[in-house]
Amino acid sequence: MSAGPAAGPAARFAPGARVRVREDWPERRRLPSGAPSCHIRTPHYLRGREGEVQAVLGAFANPEDLAFARPAPPRVLYHVLFAQPPIWQEGAEGDTLLVEIFEHWLEPADAPGQEAA
Amino acid sequence: MSAPARPESLARLERLVAALAAKGLVSEAELAAMQARTDRASPEIGARMVARAWLDPAWRALLLADGAAAAERMGVSMAGAPPLGVLENRPGLHHLVVCTLCSCYPRAVLGYPPGWYKSFEYRSRAVRDPRGVLAEWGTALPAGTKIRVVDSTADYRWMVLPMRPEGTEGWSEDQLAALVTRDALVGVALPQLPARAAA
């Protein structure tokens, strides 16, 4: 089995699009047992942050489902570029972070922000 | 002296493998094949891909467009491996690869990740203080160079294509490949001329 891109839905965002990472914290929601209820690939430091789509990397089986052996429909994966200093309130002007983010974690930057559940 | 205690982590790993095998999700043979592939890989593969890119523009274009296809062209089996992306350093821009979530690493072309790459210290500091990290490595970037930290969070694996050092005009692929270390392919170091050659 290839681990490469799968056939999937059309990309919602094009390179150059301004996007925001959803301000969501599913890891704070727990199962009744107290165990974590999710597996996510969106780093905490990017939640709510704005960036720019640099590339559409293809569609991949959603790891959030794969981790629980659920059916995992392909999701579009992007390379998103973020200015680095604003995230940490320190750093050198012009330094950047380039991170793989799945489409369902992104919203247009001009959309109203989503509050944490 | 008695033998050191068997680590609990090893027993846990064996229980995990047994559970996965019982569910038919992975076999001992598949694990052995995957381990053999990683054992065969080493940073020398990535170094040769870089040296060739420095010499051959068509190869460089292929490497940047589809790293996995380039690796296959070099005889590396990429079947079942994640896609390989290659990040090109250029004047004014330097890439540094990290995986803050775990330890994603282009094993197919670099082999096993070094211990520091998997450490909490590197993973947490590379995204927050990349310049401090590079300074501790003794890596000095040319003035005015911006750093782009690539956090390897999902389905790709990333390798850096460093810039060819000055003073290597006329060098062969073998000579150039010898300059490219594992650390340069991750972005914590730069290819360096040997002291005597640089003198």
Side-chain angles (χ1 to χ4, degrees):
Chain A
M1 190 182 80
S2 166
R12 177 184 180 193
F13 302 107
R18 294 290 303 174
V19 291
R20 181 170 52 237
V21 179
R22 284 174 44 223
E23 174 85 51
D24 191 15
W25 301 89
E27 62 267 58
R28 292 180 184 164
R29 299 192 280 274
R30 297 269 159 169
L31 297 172
S33 67
S37 59
C38 68
H39 168 86
I40 51 177
R41 299 292 183 90
T42 308
H44 68 89
Y45 62 83
L46 292 176
R47 313 283 170 82
R49 296 289 174 181
E50 280 188 31
E52 183 179 303
V53 171
Q54 197 192 55
V56 181
L57 295 173
F60 294 84
N62 186 358
E64 298 171 14
D65 292 320
L66 285 178
F68 291 91
R70 298 187 293 244
R75 301 284 183 120
V76 177
L77 184 67
Y78 297 87
H79 233 185
V80 184
L81 189 66
F82 301 86
Q84 193 253 358
I87 293 174
W88 307 104
Q89 313 300 320
E90 63 183 37
E93 178 67 28
D95 285 355
T96 49
L97 282 155
L98 185 59
V99 186
E100 289 154 83
I101 307 283
F102 281 96
E103 185 172 280
H104 59 283
W105 273 95
L106 297 173
E107 55 197 7
D110 57 8
Q114 175 190 325
E115 293 303 315
Chain B
M1 251 177 74
S2 62
R6 207 157 174 276
E8 162 59 21
S9 57
L10 193 56
R12 197 162 58 227
L13 176 65
E14 287 170 353
R15 289 198 298 274
L16 175 63
V17 170
L20 292 172
K23 285 179 178 288
L25 293 172
V26 69
S27 70
E28 292 282 357
E30 285 169 325
L31 286 175
M34 196 168 290
Q35 185 171 357
R37 185 168 71 189
T38 307
D39 286 344
R40 277 195 303 273
S42 82
E44 289 169 23
I45 298 173
R48 184 151 303 273
M49 294 168 79
V50 165
R52 196 165 293 179
W54 287 343
L55 293 171
D56 180 348
W59 169 266
R60 178 177 152 279
L62 172 67
L63 184 65
L64 293 173
D66 187 343
E72 291 268 10
R73 193 82 63 91
M74 289 202 46
V76 177
S77 168
M78 298 295 284
L84 174 66
V86 178
L87 306 151
E88 183 183 33
N89 287 348
R90 55 179 189 261
L93 181 66
H94 178 83
H95 292 88
L96 176 69
V97 179
V98 63
C99 172
T100 58
L101 301 184
C102 48
S103 57
C104 296
Y105 190 78
R107 291 172 181 236
V109 291
L110 296 191
Y112 291 104
W116 57 260
Y117 184 84
K118 300 185 277 187
S119 69
F120 286 118
E121 291 81 359
Y122 178 72
R123 289 161 50 202
S124 51
R125 290 190 60 215
V127 283
R128 177 161 187 163
D129 182 21
R131 291 180 179 270
V133 169
L134 289 185
E136 287 175 24
W137 276 88
T139 299
L141 302 176
T145 303
K146 308 295 187 194
I147 298 179
R148 181 162 294 173
V149 182
V150 179
D151 190 355
S152 186
T153 53
D155 285 80
Y156 265 68
R157 300 296 178 269
W158 301 100
M159 181 181 91
V160 175
L161 170 55
M163 286 193 291
R164 179 174 176 171
E166 288 182 15
T168 58
E169 293 73 19
W171 285 33
S172 70
E173 185 177 300
D174 284 348
Q175 288 174 303
L176 290 170
L179 300 179
V180 184
T181 62
R182 174 196 70 199
D183 298 347
L185 296 164
V186 176
V188 292
L190 301 175
Q192 300 287 345
L193 295 192
R196 57 185 160 76

